[in-house]
Amino acid sequence: MPTFTALTTLMGKAPATALGDAMERLNPEPTGVGVFEVEDGSGLWEVGGYFTEAPDEAGLALLAASFEAKPFVVSELPETDWVAHVRRELAPVEAGRFFVYGSHDADKVPADSIPLLIEAAMAFGTGHHGTTLGCLKALDRLIGEGFEGTKVADIGCGTAVLAMAAARVWTGDILASDIDQVAVDVAEANLKANGMEGTVKCLESAGFDHPDLQAHMPYDLIFANILKGPLIALSPDVSAHLRPGGYAILSGILNEQADDVIAVYLENGTNLVNKEQIGEWTTLLLQKNGAI
């Protein structure tokens, strides 16, 4: 059975949200509508609908004109076994000593690697995205230099792959937090799938607001793989929660945004150690001023 998508872009969150609401009233109705900010600093928002019947293109054209959006692009999607497709596309990822894989590739885990099982359904945080891969490579670099982290925080953890990677090599207080309870549940499920229950404490928290995150400071290492805006907002807290000489690994930063993030963190007492670009994304390794 064919399915359809209809996508457009327009400026501003409020009109994009209103357009998304209006799409819900189309006939035939979409089975889902999404409204997302385009993360390139342009101010554009994407509005899209998913349909199990051919959408009313005249109605879509009228909506686009009413909200000063670009004309909708309507696409018919072929019938696809998406699980099989994703498994084919998401090959295992090697990041130094770390090997991130799905259960369908369990027979490919190298004997000398540190394995991390993350199912392909968990699209963000599988290691395939340049931000997650960059963070794992930065962690591998620190380990190779003899660094040890007995207190680690993964802020905005998603699948918790970064916290799990740290827990594979170090013992101590390793905490993973996310603002979304669903992400926290996913993180706990991933720990169980890897036989790592109890090695990472998963929390629902915005930034460092949770009392457990406060109680375990200062940290040797903080991960924050989120986006430029939240990273900049968190910069004073990241510095405050690091011990002198401690490290922060930051990503979710477009290449052209990296200098802005570096400047703000420098103002808060954390210096750039390394910057790596993978595709359009930059990962930063920073160190807090002070004795190690």
Side-chain angles (χ1 to χ4, degrees):
M1 173 177 146
T3 53
F4 303 84
T5 60
L7 299 171
T8 187
T9 56
L10 70 166
M11 294 296 295
K13 179 179 180 179
T17 301
L19 175 54
D21 291 341
M23 285 185 70
E24 298 277 8
R25 298 189 289 273
L26 285 171
N27 185 17
E29 295 180 6
T31 58
V33 172
V35 179
F36 306 98
E37 185 176 11
V38 179
E39 295 167 2
D40 60 0
S42 66
L44 281 173
W45 286 69
E46 181 180 83
V47 179
Y50 179 80
F51 298 81
T52 55
E53 302 176 56
D56 176 6
E57 295 197 37
L60 288 170
L62 181 60
L63 284 179
S66 299
F67 287 89
E68 298 183 354
K70 289 187 176 181
F72 277 91
V73 176
V74 177
S75 302
E76 181 176 345
L77 304 179
E79 294 186 56
T80 304
D81 182 345
W82 287 107
V83 172
H85 174 75
V86 168
R87 287 180 171 178
R88 283 196 302 272
E89 294 297 319
L90 295 188
V93 170
E94 294 185 70
R97 69 202 69 213
F98 299 105
F99 187 86
V100 186
Y101 70 102
S103 58
H104 57 287
D105 283 320
D107 60 336
K108 299 177 182 176
V109 178
D112 59 348
S113 71
I114 297 176
L116 296 165
L117 170 62
I118 304 289
E119 290 296 358
M122 310 302 180
F124 189 83
T126 59
H128 297 81
H129 198 277
T131 59
T132 309
L133 177 58
C135 290
L136 288 170
K137 292 179 70 175
L139 174 60
D140 182 70
R141 174 192 176 114
L142 283 179
I143 297 167
E145 293 174 353
F147 174 80
E148 292 188 14
T150 57
K151 289 188 177 183
V152 178
D154 182 4
I155 306 298
C157 65
T159 61
V161 64
L162 301 177
M164 288 195 299
R168 283 291 200 200
V169 292
W170 301 316
T171 57
D173 297 319
I174 300 177
L175 289 79
S177 68
D178 204 289
I179 60 173
D180 182 359
Q181 183 59 45
V182 173
V184 176
D185 293 342
V186 167
E188 291 175 339
N190 285 333
L191 284 162
K192 184 175 181 181
N194 282 270
M196 297 178 65
E197 300 98 318
T199 61
V200 176
K201 187 167 189 177
C202 301
L203 308 167
E204 182 180 1
S205 175
F208 292 89
D209 289 348
H210 198 285
D212 284 356
L213 287 167
Q214 299 286 336
H216 288 84
M217 67 178 290
Y219 292 95
D220 303 308
L221 173 64
I222 293 173
F223 296 105
N225 181 15
I226 37 181
L227 293 170
K228 174 190 172 184
L231 284 174
I232 287 176
L234 277 174
S235 56
D237 283 344
V238 170
S239 181
H241 286 76
L242 278 174
R243 66 165 173 81
Y247 290 92
I249 295 175
L250 311 180
S251 199
I253 307 162
L254 292 167
N255 294 335
E256 61 269 22
Q257 300 172 339
D259 288 344
D260 292 340
V261 177
I262 293 167
V264 171
Y265 275 79
L266 181 60
E267 291 174 2
N268 285 280
T270 49
N271 301 313
L272 179 66
V273 175
N274 188 63
K275 177 172 71 171
E276 181 168 2
Q277 294 182 353
I278 300 176
E280 62 182 337
W281 299 97
T282 292
T283 298
L284 303 177
L285 175 61
L286 305 167
Q287 186 175 31
K288 183 175 177 177
N289 293 337
I292 299 177

